[in-house]
Amino acid sequence: MTNKPTEDCKREAERIAVMSGLPRKQMVADLGVGHSTLNNWAKAFGDAGTVPQGPNWSRK
């Protein structure tokens, strides 16, 4: 049985990613998820204007 994150967990991860200002590489390592997973959560739960852009959110 796998432990799938709840919707609340995904929302909180997206919120932290947006608010922290940390590089994406660090965020996925800290959260233990893949780049595409975090991107999908940001698209699903983030406001269009809050999805991080720029150098901190490019693949490194």
Side-chain angles (χ1 to χ4, degrees):
M1 181 173 178
T2 62
N3 291 331
K4 294 183 83 172
T6 64
E7 186 171 318
D8 287 339
C9 179
K10 294 175 186 180
R11 287 180 189 275
E12 183 66 8
E14 184 274 332
R15 186 191 67 77
I16 291 168
V18 170
M19 301 301 288
S20 73
L22 292 172
R24 180 171 145 193
K25 186 175 182 178
Q26 182 66 46
M27 284 303 307
V28 298
D30 290 349
L31 294 171
V33 299
H35 290 276
S36 61
T37 299
L38 189 56
N39 282 343
N40 289 340
W41 293 352
K43 288 176 186 174
F45 301 114
D47 294 331
T50 64
V51 176
Q53 302 293 322
N56 284 348
W57 278 78
S58 61
R59 283 195 177 223
K60 295 183 179 179

